[in-house]
Amino acid sequence: MNANVIEILSAEELRRTVTRLASQIVERSNDLSELVLIGIYTRGVPFAHLLASQIELLEQIQVPVGALDITFYRDDLDNIGMRTPAKTEMPFDLTGKEVMLVDDVIFKGRTIRAALDAIADYGRPSLIRLAVLVDRGHREVPIHPDFIGKTLPTAKEEQVKVYFNEVDDRDGVELIKVM
């Protein structure tokens, strides 16, 4: 099986996108001292850390970052197969906080639905928003991101691969078309 790989975002374009998203998050935040970023494993976590670093550069305020594994909250485990869960790291109570859920790609919306269920175990936020690097469409649940780095209409059989230096030793986004 052959695959056609198309670069969607270079490392530099990814950096600029993170900067833009961080600026938008700052602008729309009600109170930066109440903002927390929660990255969804796997690549939502390094993305959340990149956003937090950029917000700190812009506003000189450290935004806490958590990491959320949603494996046991999924409704489609029979379709995706068994996974070894990662360790959720939520070093703060979410009650009254402005939560920014962060993920690399939104597709059907099921991961975000599961993340919303999981968040309820960690407190009752005053507000939950969603930031994604790539929105590729094809929603199966009524979820729409508040912050989108790149809208990329795709065919269902295509794949979007996000690479972060912390995980993959390079930065970028690719569209993979299987031939």
Side-chain angles (χ1 to χ4, degrees):
M1 200 181 302
N2 290 334
N4 185 17
V5 178
I6 301 167
E7 183 179 68
I8 301 301
L9 294 176
S10 67
E12 179 62 23
E13 291 167 328
L14 179 63
R15 184 196 61 75
R16 283 196 305 266
T17 301
V18 168
T19 300
R20 177 176 50 81
L21 287 171
S23 296
Q24 291 173 349
I25 290 167
V26 165
E27 288 174 10
R28 289 204 30 214
S29 179
N30 296 325
D31 180 358
L32 285 177
S33 68
E34 294 297 317
L35 178 66
V36 297
L37 302 179
I38 299 175
I40 301 171
Y41 279 110
T42 296
R43 284 174 181 76
V45 175
F47 183 32
H49 283 285
L50 286 171
L51 288 169
S53 294
Q54 189 60 39
I55 291 169
E56 185 174 358
L57 280 173
L58 294 169
E59 298 295 315
Q60 292 71 54
I61 186 169
Q62 285 189 330
V63 176
V65 178
L68 184 64
D69 179 82
I70 52 93
T71 300
F72 296 119
Y73 295 89
R74 295 191 70 104
D75 64 357
D76 59 353
L77 279 177
D78 54 335
N79 293 338
I80 64 170
M82 284 305 297
R83 303 177 170 196
T84 303
K87 185 177 190 291
T88 291
E89 296 174 17
M90 205 68 58
F92 37 76
D93 180 15
L94 297 182
T95 302
K97 298 291 185 185
E98 184 177 324
V99 170
M100 181 66 58
L101 266 178
V102 179
D103 206 4
D104 59 341
V105 178
I106 186 167
F107 182 35
K108 297 176 182 180
R110 294 193 175 279
T111 296
I112 304 307
R113 189 215 43 84
L116 292 170
D117 288 347
I119 281 178
D121 288 346
Y122 296 95
R124 189 175 191 278
S126 64
L127 175 68
I128 301 173
R129 289 192 171 129
L130 174 61
V132 299
L133 184 59
V134 178
D135 180 351
R136 59 175 293 198
H138 303 286
R139 240 40 114 247
E140 292 178 355
V141 292
I143 291 175
H144 184 75
D146 299 281
F147 304 94
I148 301 169
K150 176 95 173 153
T151 301
L152 182 66
T154 63
K156 285 188 177 183
E157 62 276 0
E158 293 174 328
Q159 295 178 350
V160 174
K161 293 286 289 179
V162 174
Y163 303 98
F164 288 116
N165 212 16
E166 298 79 358
V167 180
D168 309 295
D169 295 324
R170 68 181 177 124
D171 288 327
V173 178
E174 296 175 343
L175 176 65
I176 300 170
K177 297 181 177 191
V178 179
M179 309 297 234

